Amino acid sequence: MRDVPEGWFAGARAATDGDARFLLRLRELTPRLTKAGLSADKSLGESWAAGPFVGVELDHLIAPLRWLWVTYRDTVEAGLLACAWGDYTRFDDWGPIDGNVYATDRRPGADLHSGATPERAAEAAVVWISEQAHRGVRREEWDGRRPRTRWSFTDTGGVLWDTRPSHWRRDHPPNTTQVEQASPDDARDAGGTTPH
């Protein structure tokens, strides 16, 4: 096992040459994440049996799911990359959230994340993190006997988190609404375009 230099994603270790190449390229691209308003001290890295697992907290959000997690698996056939929103526990929040991309995803455009070289997977991971970090999140709160808070993406309306996701009457508007978003300057500086 080779250690990855400390700083961004400290704690991530490479078990294979592919893991090392992925982590090295990921770290080379971290200036883009810094320009996007993210910081190394809000990032984590771990080593799982399947490969490196890294994440960064979006501290401009107060939503429970404010972490962006990336895992890379170096296989004989090709590398597999999965990118998902989650919370600090990392383990129990991988679900069908708008924006998540899984290694088994067959949607158009998702092929970039599956079967890529380690370097290309790292590039796709940085683009994904940058793009997701700059999505606006609308927080709506309802007061009363059964209080509720819902966070949804401003671009698609997809729900990120809901404190009452089951059948709940929505016959009145929320008591408060606020948009949580990174600085527009950070979004422009990050240059969130997918590498080709």
Side-chain angles (χ1 to χ4, degrees), residues 3-123:
D3 285 318
V4 176
E6 296 301 311
W8 277 94
F9 312 120
R13 296 172 60 90
T16 68
D17 181 60
D19 291 350
R21 290 169 47 205
F22 172 78
L23 289 169
L24 177 63
R25 183 65 180 145
L26 189 68
R27 290 178 52 82
E28 289 173 350
L29 296 170
T30 57
R32 283 187 67 185
L33 299 180
T34 302
K35 284 182 181 179
L38 305 174
S39 66
D41 64 335
K42 297 289 183 177
S43 71
L44 291 176
E46 295 184 359
S47 296
W48 288 8
F53 187 77
V54 299
V56 63
E57 182 181 18
L58 306 180
D59 61 358
H60 63 276
L61 296 179
I62 64 166
L65 304 184
R66 64 175 167 263
W67 281 82
L68 299 175
W69 295 105
V70 172
T71 184
Y72 177 76
R73 183 172 179 199
D74 185 29
T75 67
V76 174
E77 299 83 26
L80 300 174
L81 180 69
C83 306
W85 285 79
D87 69 7
Y88 69 93
T89 64
R90 310 179 267 299
F91 305 112
D92 61 352
D93 300 308
W94 291 53
I97 295 173
D98 182 31
N100 289 0
V101 179
Y102 302 100
T104 57
D105 206 333
R106 297 294 177 242
R107 292 176 297 164
D111 58 340
L112 176 63
H113 300 270
S114 181
T117 66
E119 294 81 8
R120 186 117 162 107
E123 292 165 4

Side-chain angles (χ1 to χ4, degrees), residues 151-170:
W151 287 268
S152 58
F153 296 107
T154 58
D155 57 353
T156 64
V159 175
L160 175 61
W161 183 261
D162 197 331
T163 58
R164 283 196 194 279
S166 61
H167 304 291
W168 189 82
R169 294 181 62 199
R170 296 183 189 149

Side-chain angles (χ1 to χ4, degrees), residues 140-149 163-164 168-169 171-176:
E140 300 169 294
E141 296 184 27
W142 288 264
D143 299 332
R145 193 172 55 111
R146 297 179 66 193
R148 173 187 185 206
T149 304
T163 58
R164 283 196 194 279
W168 189 82
R169 294 181 62 199
D171 55 357
H172 64 280
N175 297 90
T176 61

